[in-house]
Amino acid sequence: MSEYRMPTEPPKTGWDLHCHTVFSDGTETPTALVRLSREIGLHGVAITDHDTTAGWQEAEQAAVTIGQPLMRGTEITAHVHGVSVHMLAYLYNPHSQHIRELFETTRQGRLERTKRMVALMSKDLPISWDDVLAQVKQGSRTTIGRPHIADALVAAGVYRDRNEAFQGAVASSSPYYLPTPSPTAQQVVEAIRDAGGVTVIAHAADPSRNKHVLSDEQIRELADQGLDGLEVWHRGNPEDQRRRLLELARQCHLLVTGGSDWHGAGKPNALGEYLTDDETVARIAERGAIAIV
């Protein structure tokens, strides 16, 4: 391919490469995601549930039936020296042993952490583990986490909606909060690279997620280790940080992506509010181990 033309402004058309369904903390099915993406005129869409590929099959079937291009992916929670980092992994071989072991470890870690948080909350709030399980849409196939606690608290009448719960008992500043046991970002980059996939740091400079965002040097180190891109176009990245990320992407020859971080009714984020241009999608497809559906 010719030299990559890095976008410097949010694309007006293209793909939404950051979307969640009922197989993690979204409220809609993969079929609904694919259908809605076609209805609003997206060129294609990615499914990126947390630490799982469980929704891929349904999404693939919907993509073929509806006639909407689909990119298969996953969002993986990681860390860099205490800074929480979410990694978007695209078009990797899901049968990779390295990946399967990574997901099993992270999913189990999330489950145990969530149980411990609920146990702490139950001393002060009307919530039990059964209440949380009642919010899980796909049973053991769902990656369980804080959003399900939030939904249980909403169902109990403690909060009006999930967002209010995340500003209260479920917040990272809450006395009930426990960090997610997670691999390092370098380990995730290595695992996805071994599986032939493409890694992008999600909402790479969102100040609401950490006291300190990733530094230039930390991003450069990950780029040297095989990181492929940065999600610049995301509502959580302030304008000054977007400019910083674009400059880092230029210096480190990284891809620039965008995504809504859509969760259906679980977040105010609208499907397609931030997009990835077609050329960047083509670059991801060129590098990936599996094809776009």
Side-chain angles (χ1 to χ4, degrees):
M1 276 188 158
S2 59
E3 183 179 353
Y4 176 54
R5 292 175 298 177
M6 187 186 80
T8 56
E9 297 290 338
K12 301 297 185 185
T13 60
W15 295 55
D16 190 334
L17 294 190
H18 191 166
C19 305
H20 299 272
T21 76
V22 291
F23 286 95
S24 62
D25 50 351
T27 62
E28 300 292 338
T29 65
T31 299
L33 164 64
V34 174
R35 181 182 296 116
L36 180 58
S37 73
R38 182 171 177 82
E39 289 175 357
I40 66 174
L42 298 186
H43 295 176
V45 71
I47 180 172
T48 56
D49 284 317
H50 290 280
D51 305 312
T52 186
T53 60
W56 282 19
Q57 184 176 4
E58 181 184 332
E60 291 167 28
Q61 292 173 344
V64 172
T65 300
I66 296 170
Q68 177 73 336
L70 170 76
M71 185 179 295
R72 290 161 287 179
T74 302
E75 185 170 8
I76 307 168
T77 301
H79 71 90
V80 175
H81 301 305
V83 179
S84 178
V85 182
H86 287 193
M87 313 290 288
L88 294 165
Y90 300 113
L91 301 182
Y92 60 87
N93 175 9
H95 304 297
S96 160
Q97 188 62 28
H98 198 166
I99 289 295
R100 294 166 74 94
E101 291 173 357
L102 179 71
F103 285 177
E104 181 57 34
T105 299
T106 53
R107 281 166 56 84
Q108 189 60 36
R110 273 179 177 269
L111 180 63
E112 294 303 321
R113 172 260 202 151
T114 307
K115 285 182 177 179
R116 289 168 60 203
M117 285 184 63
V118 171
L120 291 172
M121 288 182 190
S122 66
K123 298 174 183 178
D124 305 315
L125 299 168
I127 187 173
S128 69
W129 184 240
D130 285 341
D131 295 329
V132 174
L133 291 180
Q135 303 302 320
V136 176
K137 302 293 195 298
Q138 294 292 329
S140 62
R141 300 176 71 196
T142 301
T143 300
I144 300 175
R146 281 193 296 159
H148 300 102
I149 300 177
D151 292 345
L153 290 170
V154 171
V158 178
Y159 297 107
R160 289 174 297 180
D161 54 38
R162 187 187 282 187
N163 284 335
E164 189 173 84
F166 265 89
Q167 294 169 5
V170 191
S172 58
S173 58
S174 161
Y176 309 112
Y177 178 79
L178 296 171
T180 305
S182 55
T184 67
Q186 180 180 354
Q187 289 173 322
V188 173
V189 168
E190 289 174 353
I192 299 302
R193 184 179 59 203
D194 288 350
V198 175
T199 51
V200 172
I201 300 177
H203 35 72
D206 183 347
S208 71
R209 296 175 182 269
N210 293 286
K211 291 181 180 178
H212 304 286
V213 297
L214 286 175
S215 68
D216 291 9
E217 187 55 38
Q218 287 170 328
I219 291 174
R220 288 193 183 99
E221 286 179 3
L222 287 171
D224 290 341
Q225 292 157 0
L227 177 72
D228 292 280
L230 299 172
E231 185 183 56
V232 175
W233 317 123
H234 184 283
R235 64 161 57 199
N237 294 333
E239 186 58 38
D240 62 327
Q241 290 292 338
R242 292 181 188 181
R243 291 194 295 270
R244 180 177 76 95
L245 294 174
L246 285 173
E247 179 58 22
L248 280 167
R250 186 190 65 77
Q251 293 174 6
C252 300
H253 306 289
L254 297 173
L255 301 176
V256 170
T257 72
S260 65
D261 207 352
W262 181 77
H263 285 67
K267 278 187 177 182
N269 310 37
L271 186 66
E273 68 178 26
Y274 286 103
L275 301 171
T276 302
D277 63 286
D278 292 325
E279 181 176 344
T280 299
V281 169
R283 298 286 174 152
I284 295 172
E286 181 184 45
R287 300 180 189 184
I290 60 175
I292 287 174
V293 178

